[in-house]
Amino acid sequence: MNSNTRLQTILADTIIGAVLPAIAQLNLPNWWLAGGAVRNTVWHSIFGNECALGIKDFDIAFFDIEGNRSQELAAKATLTKRFQNEQFDVKNQASFARWRLGYRAYTSTEDGITDWLHTATAVGVRLDTQGQWQFFTPYGLDDLFGGIIRPTPTHTHNLDAHNKASGFLQKCPYLRLA
């Protein structure tokens, strides 16, 4: 089984499998579900209940150069109404630098995800218009499946990446630092 098939197999029968079609219905441009929801679901599947990392929220990244924060808020409201027990963080990567001072402007959703703190977090999944799974894995899936916490190249010396890694290790003792 290839890595993408393995990822889909793990995610399909979880809340992510239910949330993906709802995100797809929003028709956000170039969207991906990425981040902690994907990472933590995989790690929980691999390491079991002793890995206490759960889904805090669903990070949905999209890219609309003409967009504004109202798109994000509308998408979040729609998803929250449908999944009342879940949290959603919907962010237009085109506007990221406008509200995160000190960050560079991204050129695409993929550019934004590639710049996330850890390789195992920079993993995106989505459904295409035919309902087929698609994957964005700029650093591959070895770190995700191996429980390896590795900062992305931009964040090798970032204190936030180090602090988050420490939090992951406290909640999931099977993880390892790269």
Side-chain angles (χ1 to χ4, degrees), residues 166-177:
S166 295
F168 297 157
L169 289 169
Q170 288 175 0
K171 293 182 177 182
C172 190
Y174 299 105
L175 302 177
R176 325 185 301 269
L177 293 175

Side-chain angles (χ1 to χ4, degrees), residues 23 28 31-34 58-62 79 88-91:
I23 301 169
L28 294 169
W31 68 273
W32 292 97
L33 171 65
F58 292 86
D59 294 304
I60 302 158
F62 69 99
L79 292 168
F88 295 91
D89 188 14
V90 183
K91 293 289 188 271

Side-chain angles (χ1 to χ4, degrees), residues 119-130:
T119 57
T121 305
V123 172
V125 296
R126 69 180 176 196
L127 300 179
D128 66 16
T129 55
Q130 287 78 40

